[in-house]
């Protein structure tokens, strides 16, 4: 999983969803108009707050959740954790978004665009900052499709699928599969799910 490129203490706070307060706007406002309209946008032009980020990614989360047979709330919590509610998405050299919300690294088999980013990794339970290359996409849809393809085709992530509404099981399977090196990855996903920002958003759907 990708780190956030900021101080360790700030990073952990942001991962737990505690840095962004809900706004008063309705969660569903403008979702249809915004879906698919993010390609080629600089990060500053995308999401003004956690609510607009959640509203933007929710339709994609629901679509992918159906394919994987998992709860869309779990996927939303994962991308909120990975990006600090959209505030720390890896960006290209020109400032445009990579639309990589899942912290998917660019291994030797990846032939698409990449971005370099400082990330928090753990070894033997100890954190350290490293620079890695991450996959980059043209828009949100392609990023979510690649995430779905990764979990659907890799034997490593077989146990991540088919948890239905069991978000705890989904989060635990992500951690046990080695999706992230953070030993507290599953609990952080659960913490984001319990956060006021998430609960307010889900309550207004």
């Amino acid at each position: 999983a990708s780190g956030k490129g900021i101080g360790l203490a700030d990073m952990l706070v942001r991962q737990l969803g505690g840095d962004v307060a809900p706004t008063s706007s309705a969660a569903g406002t403008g979702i249809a108009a915004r879906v698919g309209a993010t390609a080629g946008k600089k990060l500053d032009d995308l999401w003004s707050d956690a609510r607009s980020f959640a509203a933007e990614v929710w339709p994609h989360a629901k679509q992918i959740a159906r394919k994987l047979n998992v709860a869309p709330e779990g996927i939303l919590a994962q991308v909120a954790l990975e990006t600090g509610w959209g505030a720390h998405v890896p960006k290209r050299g020109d400032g445009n978004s990579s639309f990589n919300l899942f912290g998917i690294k660019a291994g030797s088999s990846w032939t698409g665009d990449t971005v370099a980013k400082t990330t928090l990794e753990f070894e033997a339970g100890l954190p350290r900052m490293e620079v890695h290359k991450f996959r980059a996409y043209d828009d949100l849809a392609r990023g979510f499709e690649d995430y779905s393809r990764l979990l659907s085709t890799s034997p490593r992530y077989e146990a991540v699928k088919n948890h239905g509404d069991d978000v705890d099981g989904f989060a635990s399977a992500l951690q046990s599969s080695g999706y992230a090196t953070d030993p507290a990855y599953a609990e952080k996903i659960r913490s984001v799910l319990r956060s006021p920002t998430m609960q307010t958003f889900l309550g207004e759907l």
Side-chain angles (χ1 to χ4, degrees):
S2 71
K4 307 301 175 282
I6 58 177
L8 178 58
D10 289 342
M11 182 182 304
L12 295 178
V13 171
R14 289 181 183 275
Q15 284 183 329
L16 292 175
D19 62 322
V20 184
T23 66
S24 59
S25 59
T29 301
I31 291 178
R34 288 177 59 82
V35 171
T38 54
K41 292 291 186 67
K42 288 181 168 50
L43 290 180
D44 292 344
D45 297 331
L46 290 176
W47 307 293
S48 59
D49 52 31
R51 188 70 58 77
S52 62
F53 172 77
E56 183 81 59
V57 304
W58 182 245
H60 299 283
K62 289 198 298 181
Q63 182 179 22
I64 296 306
R66 285 193 294 270
K67 293 181 179 180
L68 300 175
N69 187 24
V70 298
E73 296 91 335
I75 294 178
L76 178 57
Q78 185 184 11
V79 297
L81 170 63
E82 287 283 345
T83 67
W85 291 98
H88 302 287
V89 180
K91 62 181 178 181
R92 301 170 185 265
D94 60 3
N96 288 335
S97 178
S98 68
F99 296 105
N100 185 342
L101 306 188
F102 293 95
I104 302 176
K105 294 186 178 74
S108 59
S109 63
W110 177 251
T111 59
D113 292 343
T114 64
V115 295
K117 181 172 170 53
T118 302
T119 179
L120 179 66
E121 301 289 351
F122 289 80
E123 184 175 358
L126 298 176
R128 67 177 186 274
M129 304 304 294
E130 298 180 356
V131 177
H132 288 279
K133 286 186 176 180
F134 292 84
R135 300 181 184 186
Y137 311 101
D138 291 336
D139 52 37
L140 278 178
R142 287 176 175 83
F144 274 83
E145 288 165 2
D146 191 45
Y147 171 80
S148 176
R149 184 164 48 249
L150 176 67
L151 267 57
S152 296
T153 61
S154 174
R156 175 178 180 176
Y157 300 116
E158 181 64 30
V160 177
K161 299 177 293 183
N162 298 316
H163 286 276
D165 294 331
D166 181 9
V167 178
D168 284 349
F170 168 72
S172 295
L174 280 171
Q175 181 172 324
S176 62
S177 70
Y179 186 92
T181 60
D182 187 347
Y185 194 69
E187 181 53 38
K188 288 178 180 177
I189 290 176
R190 297 185 191 106
S191 294
V192 172
L193 188 65
R194 296 191 299 264
S195 69
T197 300
M198 177 70 81
Q199 290 303 306
T200 299
F201 173 77
L202 295 177
E204 294 182 351
L205 290 176

